């Protein structure tokens, strides 16, 4: 097991849950969290670890080669979350996506290679199911497997697919020890309230309507963030060098079904739905086949069953209003204005 893990993007939604998950479940691990703190990076997400001697925060960019040189000397694995992560923002302005997701990943790979060569280290790249493109609604038997061709549609997913290819290039060309994980949509605590679940829940708490894109029939495959974190830790500990692992919980829901469930949990009526213009190039359906990670590495999702897991997540946002109110009052306001008018 790796003892000194460099986590990139650990102040974001999944990264912060991962840091907390690993420190709670492994006694002998130290984590350095490298995060530049973009709009979605929030050190408050890990405020409870401030005094934990096994946790160290470094405020910096994955594109800072000099800084990376020092950090890689002191770690034996990297789990790479840092990225621009929101599809709608990539449609408004794709440049930051290319800079962090593509260039940033390459700079990180180069630093890993220089520090570790082919003998040491592990590089786990956290990617997404969106790199496979989308699936039709009328063929429910079709799922994304690891051999589904990459066919990304948005600037976000294209930048993630580019980073996946660069990771495999570092493996084939330089022998870097790598894994790629491709997970479906996550939900849980500390998700930035631009993503659909925290956006809808916090809007409803504030008495606002929820903006549902298009006909609401688009389907997403939902997994609790802690199940994702456990899967990444499993890949870090047991993954075979050079392999890709899909992660998902076979939990497909249309956006309309999701919205109705949130409204029901929160005791609100369907009149709170505000149909809005569809997302440009809106992917119809994502659905992951997680057979490989289940059968080869023994991972199972245990925290994602609906409606309980969704109810618990809604409750977290109700109980932690201070957290998202501080987030929503910042730079996020400007973006919301641009996106939804
Ligand atoms: P997020 O936007 O909440 O967090 C991203 C974090 O990365 C932030 O803390 C940000 O400050 C940091 N960051 C961005 N650019 C950086 C840079 N140049 N240098 C250092 N830090 C930087 O995103 P998330 O939802 O937690 O997603 C994390 C990763 O998981 C992403 O790579 C994303 O593609 C992937 N993923 C997300 C989901 C999902 O449902 N959210 C599903 C599958 C995969
Ligand atoms: O206001 C909204 N209204 C709406 O109907 C928003 C923000 C979203 N939606 C729809 C669009 C999608 O079909 O809800 C669905 C989920 O949207 P997002 O939360 O933006 O997630 P998605 O675009 O599916 O991408 C997410 O999952 C894969 C993450 O943001 C990515 O980082 C991850 O790779």
């Amino acid at each position: 097991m790796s003892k000194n893990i460099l986590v990139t993007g650990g102040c974001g939604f999944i990264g912060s849950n991962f840091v907390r998950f690993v420190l709670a479940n492994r006694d002998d691990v130290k984590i350095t969290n490298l995060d530049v703190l973009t709009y979605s990076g929030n050190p408050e997400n890990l405020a409870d670890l401030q005094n934990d001697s096994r946790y160290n925060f470094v405020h910096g960019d994955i594109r800072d080669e000099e800084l990376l040189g020092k950090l890689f000397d002191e770690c034996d694995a990297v789990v790479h979350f840092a990225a621009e992560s929101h599809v709608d923002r990539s449609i408004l302005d794709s440049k930051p996506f290319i800079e962090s997701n593509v260039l940033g990943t390459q700079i990180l790979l180069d630093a890993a290679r220089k520090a570790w060569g082919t003998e040491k280290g592990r590089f786990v790249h956290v990617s997404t199911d969106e790199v496979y493109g989308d699936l039709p609604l009328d063929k429910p038997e079709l799922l994304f497997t690891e051999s589904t061709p990459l066919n990304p549609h948005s600037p976000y997913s294209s930048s993630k697919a580019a980073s996946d290819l660069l990771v495999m290039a570092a493996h084939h060309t330089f022998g870097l020890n790598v894994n790629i994980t491709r997970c479906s949509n996550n939900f849980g605590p500390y998700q930035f309230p631009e993503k659909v679940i925290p956006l809808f829940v916090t809007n409803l708490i504030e008495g606002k309507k929820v903006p549902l894109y298009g006909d609401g029939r688009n389907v997403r495959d939902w997994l609790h963030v802690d199940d994702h974190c456990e899967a990444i830790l499993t890949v870090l500990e047991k993954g075979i060098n050079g392999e890709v692992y899909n992660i998902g919980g076979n939990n497909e829901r249309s956006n309309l079904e999701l919205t109705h469930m949130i409204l029901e949990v929160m005791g609100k009526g369907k009149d709170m739905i505000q149909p809005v213009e569809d997302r440009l190039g809106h992917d119809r359906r994502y659905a992951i086949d997680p057979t490989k990670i289940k059968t080869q590495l023994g991972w199972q999702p245990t925290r994602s069953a609906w409606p309980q897991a969704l109810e618990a997540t809604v409750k977290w946002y109700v109980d932690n209003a201070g957290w998202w109110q501080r987030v929503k009052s910042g730079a996020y306001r400007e973006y919301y204005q641009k996106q939804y008018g």
Side-chain angles (χ1 to χ4, degrees):
M1 171 62 195
S2 311
K3 300 287 181 225
N4 293 294
I5 306 174
L6 176 64
V7 168
T8 71
C11 291
F13 163 48
I14 306 175
S16 61
N17 280 287
F18 180 77
V19 170
R20 189 176 294 103
F21 186 89
V22 173
L23 292 179
N25 288 283
R26 296 290 181 274
D27 292 331
D28 53 348
V29 169
K30 286 189 178 163
I31 292 183
T32 297
N33 169 16
L34 172 65
D35 198 306
V36 78
L37 303 180
T38 65
Y39 75 93
S40 69
N42 183 353
E44 234 187 274
N45 297 359
L46 289 173
D48 51 318
L49 295 180
Q50 252 170 9
N51 299 321
D52 191 322
S53 59
R54 295 175 303 150
Y55 172 68
N56 175 31
F57 172 60
V58 176
H59 184 199
D61 199 301
I62 54 168
R63 291 165 293 175
D64 183 341
E65 293 172 48
E66 201 183 320
L67 174 62
L68 290 182
K70 289 180 203 141
L71 295 177
F72 270 94
D73 278 345
E74 291 154 18
C75 66
D76 46 29
V78 59
V79 182
H80 177 34
F81 294 94
E84 291 293 331
S85 66
H86 193 39
V87 174
D88 293 322
R89 285 182 192 262
S90 81
I91 295 167
L92 291 174
D93 179 12
S94 57
K95 201 164 160 242
F97 289 74
I98 306 308
E99 285 170 350
S100 281
N101 303 5
V102 185
L103 182 61
T105 299
Q106 184 58 51
I107 292 173
L108 200 65
L109 287 163
D110 289 339
R113 179 166 62 82
K114 280 178 200 150
W116 294 335
T118 57
E119 301 299 318
K120 297 187 296 176
R122 283 185 71 64
F123 193 111
V124 177
H125 177 60
V126 180
S127 189
T128 168
D129 58 358
E130 297 194 19
V131 298
Y132 296 121
D134 68 351
L135 295 164
L137 290 181
D138 61 356
K139 292 202 175 114
E141 70 284 5
L142 290 184
L143 303 173
F144 296 136
T145 72
E146 288 79 359
S147 51
T148 301
L150 300 188
N151 183 24
H153 294 153
S154 72
Y156 161 70
S157 54
S158 301
S159 70
K160 291 295 290 186
S163 65
D164 287 17
L165 295 177
L166 293 170
V167 170
M168 291 320 286
H171 173 68
H172 289 290
T173 310
F174 301 110
L176 194 68
N177 187 343
V178 306
N179 287 117
I180 296 175
T181 61
R182 296 189 180 132
C183 189
S184 58
N185 284 60
N186 282 215
F187 66 98
Y190 300 105
Q191 187 166 30
F192 196 85
E194 65 189 349
K195 308 285 164 47
V196 71
I197 291 180
L199 176 71
F200 281 17
V201 173
T202 58
N203 270 15
L204 290 169
I205 300 172
E206 292 178 313
K208 294 182 194 149
K209 294 194 175 191
V210 298
L212 186 63
Y213 293 163
D215 60 12
R217 290 177 64 229
N218 301 62
V219 169
R220 296 295 182 265
D221 185 356
W222 291 99
L223 188 77
H224 191 275
V225 65
D226 282 345
D227 277 334
H228 186 190
C229 292
E230 189 163 59
I232 294 168
L233 185 58
T234 304
V235 170
L236 178 66
E237 292 179 344
K238 298 193 210 160
I240 308 293
N241 186 8
E243 292 292 315
V244 175
Y245 297 97
N246 280 357
I247 303 169
N250 301 102
N251 184 29
E252 288 180 56
R253 312 280 168 175
S254 74
N255 292 336
L256 202 55
E257 184 186 356
L258 167 72
T259 307
H260 287 165
M261 285 180 88
I262 292 174
L263 290 171
E264 196 183 318
V265 173
M266 298 188 68
K268 306 278 181 184
K270 291 183 184 156
D271 56 313
M272 293 306 282
I273 298 177
Q274 176 68 60
V276 295
E277 215 173 294
D278 208 355
R279 173 183 281 174
L280 291 177
H282 197 174
D283 282 339
R284 257 316 193 187
R285 171 176 167 248
Y286 302 142
I288 278 282
D289 179 353
T291 306
K292 180 175 173 181
I293 188 170
K294 283 182 169 178
T295 55
Q296 296 187 8
L297 304 186
W299 170 82
Q300 289 286 344
T302 58
R303 307 161 183 89
S304 298
W306 281 22
Q308 300 87 339
L310 182 65
E311 284 163 7
T313 296
V314 171
K315 186 172 180 318
W316 189 89
Y317 288 95
V318 171
D319 293 346
N320 291 274
W323 177 84
W324 58 260
Q325 279 162 354
R326 281 188 290 282
V327 171
K328 269 191 156 182
S329 63
Y332 170 71
R333 271 217 186 116
E334 248 173 64
Y335 157 77
Y336 196 89
Q337 198 56 36
K338 240 192 207 169
Q339 174 69 12
Y340 301 98

